[in-house]
Amino acid sequence: MSKVFFSVGMSLDGFIAPEGMEMAHAHDPNYKGWLGQWMALHQWVFRQKFFRENLKLGEGGETGQDNTLLEETFARTGVSIMGKRMFDGGEGQWPEEAPFHTPVFVLTKQVRSPWERPGGTTFHFVNDGIESALRQAREAAGDKDIRIAGGANAIIQYLNAGLVDEFTIAQAPVFFGGGVRLFDGIDRHKIALEITEAIHSPLVTHLRYAVTKR
Amino acid sequence: MSKVFFSVGMSLDGFIAPEGMEMAHAHDPNYKGWLGQWMALHQWVFRQKFFRENLKLGEGGETGQDNTLLEETFARTGVSIMGKRMFDGGEGQWPEEAPFHTPVFVLTKQVRSPWERPGGTTFHFVNDGIESALRQAREAAGDKDIRIAGGANAIIQYLNAGLVDEFTIAQAPVFFGGGVRLFDGIDRHKIALEITEAIHSPLVTHLRYAVTKR
């Protein structure tokens, strides 16, 4: 059966995004600072061959362990699920050929017809909760896995509901000092973890966990 | 010259202790729950040969990578520096032969004569700030290194003042959901890090960083 996982970048002090950045406009006085933080968090990604090819940024890029991990995460993902804020933030940012290339289920109260993009990404808007979205995702994913893409709120809802099998944190050696915390609202009584892997390159530590009790 | 470092256990959501535990009495209704959290965070330590010997808990214990890391941290430490709350919390908990076996400088407003314990630990009470404590620690440490033992407040003061050379986080695969955060109050503009190492055993991931800009 498909596994349910998430894979996100996190600062050493536990943040995955500057607070308010997702919905801000580029002329917001804070935007440049936020973008700098976000770039530092994901610095390891931008130089990888897979990332450059997937976003059509051109030839070249690194082909080592970090690139292999990006490729593997992409290859296993049959469907993504994301929260409304992540979708709203991305809608104006993703290129026309959105980088998912799979069905994407968006948790939202908005009623909207599926939005098909060139390159295989189709956004489906789910109005009846996380379990319904997951059922639909399982049907669409086939033998592949289901990625809870984000944001933190969607990830925590799935974790606390006992629906996540495993996850990877790409922990960057940076501090945010504030922003959106990954694990705010976690219900510690419901979850037990097992360390699966911890490997690092100069710019990131990949921490992989299996959820053993839910 | 002596290096200044810290080495602490942290939950995956960024906490190093339950809030309020340090100063609580054992008959506090929360105490048992807090102790359970604290034990889960440090579970990997209790089974190590070094820990058992140092606290005279008896023969046996593991002698693998985790034990070697404990031994190395102890061997390099010529002096520890700690905050007042950590000292107050430990004063009634440590055995008569306190587990440091070196001079310990306590940051406090309390004026108090040095407190010498059997086994080589002497607590010195410093009333004129973190830089004075560090100067005194350097004199006492000789060729060995200086450990900022904790708590979080003392560690963040030394980090933000640019006085820390490197640190290790023993990240346990547990969630706290609340408590004392390690990195609350960090000044992200002042600090840049480099990943030195990331290794794991079944119960803990050791994340080692060098501070490259201060």
Side-chain angles (χ1 to χ4, degrees):
Chain A
M1 196 165 81
S2 299
K3 286 197 171 172
V4 179
F5 76 102
F6 66 87
S7 178
V8 291
M10 186 175 89
S11 71
L12 187 52
D13 51 349
F15 299 97
I16 63 168
E19 184 72 57
M21 180 181 173
E22 279 174 317
M23 301 312 298
H25 291 280
H27 50 71
D28 186 300
N30 294 313
Y31 195 82
K32 198 176 158 189
W34 287 338
L35 193 64
Q37 283 186 274
W38 188 82
M39 298 281 285
L41 185 62
H42 298 291
Q43 197 186 346
W44 70 278
V45 175
F46 303 131
R47 51 180 73 187
Q48 305 306 320
K49 182 175 172 67
F50 173 81
F51 177 83
R52 297 178 55 78
E53 281 177 356
N54 192 29
L55 283 177
K56 299 189 191 302
L57 299 177
E59 300 283 307
E62 295 181 12
T63 58
Q65 165 187 282
D66 287 341
N67 190 60
T68 301
L69 287 169
L70 285 182
E71 285 177 339
E72 287 172 357
T73 300
F74 180 81
R76 70 183 286 196
T77 303
V79 165
S80 286
I81 296 176
M82 71 177 61
K84 171 77 161 95
R85 273 177 54 174
M86 182 174 173
F87 174 78
D88 286 347
E91 189 176 4
Q93 303 280 339
W94 294 312
E96 194 182 358
E97 191 168 313
F100 302 97
H101 308 290
T102 66
V104 176
F105 291 85
V106 181
L107 305 163
T108 178
K109 287 177 182 157
Q110 188 190 7
V111 178
R112 181 170 165 181
S113 304
W115 185 42
E116 195 175 330
R117 310 305 296 147
T121 303
T122 301
F123 295 95
H124 301 272
F125 302 89
V126 180
N127 306 130
D128 53 352
I130 64 169
E131 299 197 7
S132 168
L134 184 55
R135 272 193 304 274
Q136 296 176 58
R138 282 199 193 280
E139 275 177 38
D143 289 340
K144 291 195 171 182
D145 293 331
I146 296 159
R147 178 177 184 170
I148 314 299
N153 188 34
I155 287 170
I156 295 302
Q157 282 188 62
Y158 277 101
L159 265 177
N160 283 346
L163 297 171
V164 174
D165 296 299
E166 54 188 57
F167 61 90
T168 304
I169 294 171
Q171 193 162 279
V174 299
F175 292 116
F176 266 36
V180 179
R181 286 191 192 280
L182 176 54
F183 289 120
D184 248 7
I186 192 89
D187 183 347
R188 69 182 176 87
H189 298 288
K190 290 205 180 139
I191 301 159
L193 303 177
E194 191 173 276
I195 301 171
T196 314
E197 196 172 42
I199 52 176
H200 78 93
S201 68
L203 291 177
V204 64
T205 307
H206 303 279
L207 305 168
R208 189 168 292 180
Y209 297 91
V211 183
T212 55
K213 181 203 115 186
R214 295 175 244 166
Chain B
M1 196 164 82
S2 298
K3 287 197 171 172
V4 179
F5 77 102
F6 65 88
S7 180
V8 291
M10 186 175 89
S11 70
L12 188 52
D13 52 347
F15 298 96
I16 62 168
E19 184 72 58
M21 181 180 172
E22 278 173 319
M23 301 312 296
H25 292 281
H27 50 72
D28 186 300
N30 294 312
Y31 195 81
K32 197 176 159 190
W34 288 337
L35 193 64
Q37 285 186 272
W38 188 82
M39 297 281 284
L41 184 63
H42 298 291
Q43 197 186 347
W44 70 277
V45 175
F46 303 131
R47 51 179 73 188
Q48 303 307 319
K49 182 174 170 68
F50 173 81
F51 177 83
R52 296 178 57 79
E53 282 178 354
N54 192 29
L55 282 178
K56 299 190 191 300
L57 300 177
E59 300 284 306
E62 295 181 11
T63 57
Q65 166 187 283
D66 287 341
N67 190 60
T68 302
L69 287 168
L70 285 182
E71 286 178 338
E72 286 172 358
T73 300
F74 180 81
R76 71 183 285 197
T77 303
V79 165
S80 287
I81 296 176
M82 71 177 62
K84 170 78 160 97
R85 272 178 53 176
M86 181 173 175
F87 174 78
D88 286 346
E91 189 175 5
Q93 303 281 340
W94 295 311
E96 193 181 0
E97 191 168 312
F100 302 97
H101 308 289
T102 66
V104 176
F105 292 85
V106 181
L107 305 163
T108 179
K109 287 176 181 158
Q110 188 191 8
V111 178
R112 180 169 165 181
S113 303
W115 186 42
E116 195 174 330
R117 311 304 297 147
T121 303
T122 301
F123 295 95
H124 301 271
F125 301 89
V126 180
N127 308 129
D128 53 352
I130 64 169
E131 300 198 6
S132 168
L134 184 55
R135 272 194 304 274
Q136 295 177 59
R138 282 200 194 282
E139 275 177 38
D143 291 338
K144 291 195 173 183
D145 293 330
I146 296 158
R147 178 177 185 171
I148 314 300
N153 187 36
I155 288 171
I156 294 302
Q157 282 188 62
Y158 277 102
L159 266 176
N160 283 346
L163 297 171
V164 174
D165 296 299
E166 56 189 54
F167 60 90
T168 303
I169 294 171
Q171 192 163 279
V174 298
F175 292 115
F176 266 35
V180 179
R181 286 191 191 280
L182 176 54
F183 289 121
D184 247 6
I186 192 88
D187 184 346
R188 69 182 175 87
H189 298 289
K190 289 203 179 142
I191 301 160
L193 303 177
E194 192 174 278
I195 300 171
T196 314
E197 196 172 39
I199 52 177
H200 79 94
S201 68
L203 291 177
V204 64
T205 307
H206 303 279
L207 305 167
R208 189 167 291 180
Y209 297 90
V211 183
T212 56
K213 180 202 118 189
R214 297 175 243 167

